Amino acid sequence: AQKITQTQPGMFVQEKEAVTLDCTYDTSDQSYGLFWYKQPSSGEMIFLIYQGSYDEQNATEGRYSLNFQKARKSANLVISASQLGDSAMYFCAMREGHNQGGKLIFGQGTELSVKP
Amino acid sequence: GAGVSQSPSNKVTEKGKDVELRCDPISGHTALYWYRQSLGQGLEFLIYFQGNSAPDKSGLPSDRFSAERTGGSVSTLTIQRTQQEDSAVYLCASSLGGSSYNEQFFGPGTRLTVL
């Protein structure tokens, strides 16, 4: 079974508008971490935001926020005021507490295109 | 400070040859990870190092794949008798530790093409 599901292969958003990228996850661990990474066409993976399973507040980092709904096992990324430079692939990932070393399990990614 | 570096950035090889991919983690990072990114399989975990030991090798796809880390720093991923399905981008990441909250910092990757 897929551990991380990103159901939107591609998304379009108008510059300056907000966009939500969906992510659902599956784990039986009580302790886990959820991450979002951005991968521009240049290929590097850029860390955006982290949410711990025990964190009660939704994580925010500048224009990025994570809408964490634990009961629904969803961890959607919200990008406010989209910019042209936000065009990239976005990956949701999870680290499960029982995994020694905490390897990342990635979703298939969502390609975001920001239109001027 | 310097980020994670990988070399070479591109490698083209012929089927059946051996290749070595190198990763230099961020100084002081004890945890090091190798991942593979391919069109068909997405991003897959290969192996995790804590210091020089590899407690989790569960992602290595076959015994043609091996990795080592020396001095708690540089790591080398070796693929023997390369096959066309090994073509992918190999990404290395490092983090301060192996806890679930430790952010992983990625290198630029090595693009491997097996002809």
Side-chain angles (χ1 to χ4, degrees):
Chain A
Q2 282 277 78
K3 291 244 180 186
I4 296 281
T5 303
Q6 294 180 252
T7 57
Q8 307 149 314
M11 289 276 287
F12 289 92
V13 66
Q14 204 67 35
E15 193 179 8
K16 298 179 186 174
E17 293 189 348
V19 63
T20 298
L21 306 184
D22 294 342
C23 173
T24 57
Y25 60 92
D26 184 27
T27 182
S28 55
D29 281 13
Q30 296 301 309
S31 175
Y32 52 89
L34 297 158
F35 299 77
W36 278 91
Y37 282 85
K38 172 184 177 181
Q39 188 177 43
S41 56
S42 52
E44 75 268 34
M45 295 285 282
I46 302 167
F47 166 75
L48 295 178
I49 197 166
Y50 162 80
Q51 179 84 42
S53 58
Y54 294 117
D55 294 342
E56 294 186 353
Q57 305 274 359
N58 284 344
T60 59
E61 289 285 349
R63 294 186 300 110
Y64 304 107
S65 61
L66 200 151
N67 184 0
F68 181 45
Q69 297 189 39
K70 195 169 181 177
R72 295 175 126 187
K73 293 190 173 176
S74 76
N76 298 339
L77 176 70
V78 180
I79 306 174
S80 63
S82 297
Q83 301 172 357
L84 295 178
D86 294 335
S87 294
M89 281 290 288
Y90 288 81
F91 291 96
C92 180
M94 175 174 64
R95 294 176 79 168
E96 293 175 297
H98 80 273
N99 275 330
Q100 185 180 8
K103 66 187 179 189
L104 285 169
I105 303 165
F106 287 89
Q108 291 297 102
T110 294
E111 185 168 9
L112 177 67
S113 297
V114 181
K115 292 180 169 292
Chain B
V4 178
S5 60
Q6 292 185 247
S7 60
S9 54
N10 277 286
K11 177 73 177 177
V12 180
T13 191
E14 292 179 349
K15 178 181 169 181
K17 301 270 184 161
D18 297 353
V19 295
E20 283 190 352
L21 312 180
R22 177 187 167 108
C23 171
D24 277 276
I26 293 172
S27 178
H29 281 194
T30 60
L32 186 147
Y33 306 79
W34 283 97
Y35 294 88
R36 178 168 75 171
Q37 186 173 24
S38 57
L39 278 176
Q41 301 298 322
L43 271 153
E44 308 169 276
F45 165 80
L46 296 177
I47 187 169
Y48 153 64
F49 285 93
Q50 180 61 42
N52 291 337
S53 64
D56 188 353
K57 307 179 186 179
S58 62
L60 293 177
S62 75
D63 58 9
R64 295 187 297 104
F65 287 72
S66 63
E68 65 174 12
R69 189 179 184 196
T70 55
S73 181
V74 171
S75 176
T76 303
L77 177 69
T78 301
I79 310 173
Q80 295 179 308
R81 304 180 302 282
T82 51
Q83 304 293 312
Q84 288 181 332
E85 62 262 28
D86 300 334
S87 295
V89 176
Y90 289 81
L91 292 163
C92 176
S94 71
S95 68
L96 273 173
S99 297
S100 62
Y101 54 83
N102 286 141
E103 172 194 345
Q104 293 183 18
F105 296 84
F106 282 79
T110 293
R111 181 175 296 277
L112 175 66
T113 304
V114 182
L115 301 176

